[in-house]
Amino acid sequence: MIKDGQRKSRGFSQIFSKDIAIDLGTANTLIWVKGRGIVVNEPSIVAKTIDTNKVIAVGNEAKEMLGKTHHNLTTVRPLRDGVIADFEMADGMIQGFIRKMNLSRIARPRMVICIPSGITPVEQRAVRESAERANAREVFLIEEPVAAAIGIGLDISQPVGNMIVDIGGGTTEIAVIALNGIVAKEAIRVGGDEQDRAIMNWFHDEHKLDIGYATAERIKIEVGTGYGSKLVSVNVKGRDMVSGIPKTMVIPPEEIRKALWETLQQIIGAMKRALERTPAELSADILDRGIILTGGGALLKGFDEILREETNLPVHVAEEPLLSVVRGTGMVLEDLKHYASIMF
Ligand code: ADP
Ligand code: MG
């Protein structure tokens, strides 16, 4: 058995006729092979030519090209805001990842694909057709919060309400799940990317300092909300917008909290809306059992504590939140019959 998430997809040998499960995330794509577990865990990035839109690389290879592109090569994230921003490139990315897996062309695989719950029927069809073009025999779609709940190990068939908050790159998806279905949901296009942007804007506006996305993400991961955790200042390297010269600043964590505050409030607001729409009986369950945070954004330091204060509910962070969805999608693949009612 491959250790979850550790093995890269490059350079591994033929996998014959295996059914696969795909977590098509806005930031990361993960693939589970039936009977084996996670075999792909790579960024949802495509490198393509500008003039002919030809896909040159996907995933890790495409990420390595980021920032090193030239006049006719660029990188895109086709699912950026939780919608398919670029259908052609989304298709290119799906084909690219599946091609990396060397699936047998003869025994056509079944595919379970997890999609953001906010995507439109047109987008759903695009994903389905893309998988069919990649030689799928049968395609099943499953919604992200449902997959996350299964991956976390909840028994969602029970008449008990569970609230899942999945904070990804482009979206935050919130769902109250009971009896194998979504009872109340809310999806917003605010997630980790928006937090990176908020940090960039903060430095731009408050310090006249230009910083890149990668730097903003690093600051976010290092400092988090600057709440509850040990408060340490952070070194930030950027380019002074007035002089044009690179400079380093030392920033107290309170500033990062201020920079992120708006995005955190948007997520909290969406959770409150989902709670308002939850029937009273299930609300009582959530009061007992609490909220489960998953997705990469669940790792934001101190966010669980802010949530506890804001909602007065117990808040749990999933173990390995970046893997919940692919695990859940994989579990569905391993037992399609059992989960028939939650796929479409
Ligand atoms: P998606 O499902 O949309 O592909 P993921 O669940 O893979 O998204 O989460 C990716 C997001 O999680 C990115 O915005 C990334 O910056 C963020 N992230 C990853 N680790 C951390 C961390 N330790 N603290 C805060 N954010 C994190
Ligand atoms: Mg996800």
Side-chain angles (χ1 to χ4, degrees), residues 200-212:
M200 281 173 76
N201 291 342
W202 175 270
F203 280 94
H204 190 278
D205 297 346
E206 300 292 321
H207 298 293
K208 302 285 169 259
L209 191 73
D210 240 344
I211 62 169

Side-chain angles (χ1 to χ4, degrees), residues 109-148:
R110 288 169 159 159
M111 297 186 193
V112 181
I113 305 179
C114 179
I115 51 166
S117 64
I119 83 173
T120 64
V122 173
E123 292 170 321
Q124 283 179 21
R125 198 170 337 117
V127 171
R128 206 182 275 281
E129 284 169 3
S130 194
E132 281 161 2
R133 257 196 303 285
N135 205 29
R137 165 161 55 107
E138 261 182 300
V139 183
F140 305 97
L141 301 181
I142 169 173
E143 287 180 292
E144 186 159 323
V146 176

Side-chain angles (χ1 to χ4, degrees), residues 138-193:
E138 261 182 300
V139 183
F140 305 97
L141 301 181
I142 169 173
E143 287 180 292
E144 186 159 323
V146 176
I150 295 170
I152 288 163
L154 300 175
D155 180 358
I156 60 167
S157 65
Q158 298 299 309
V160 178
N162 290 292
M163 186 170 202
I164 304 290
V165 179
D166 180 345
I167 307 170
T171 54
T172 296
E173 304 205 30
I174 300 153
V176 175
I177 302 172
L179 292 171
N180 284 330
I182 295 182
V183 180
K185 72 174 170 184
E186 186 75 32
I188 54 168
R189 288 176 187 178
V190 174
D193 296 337

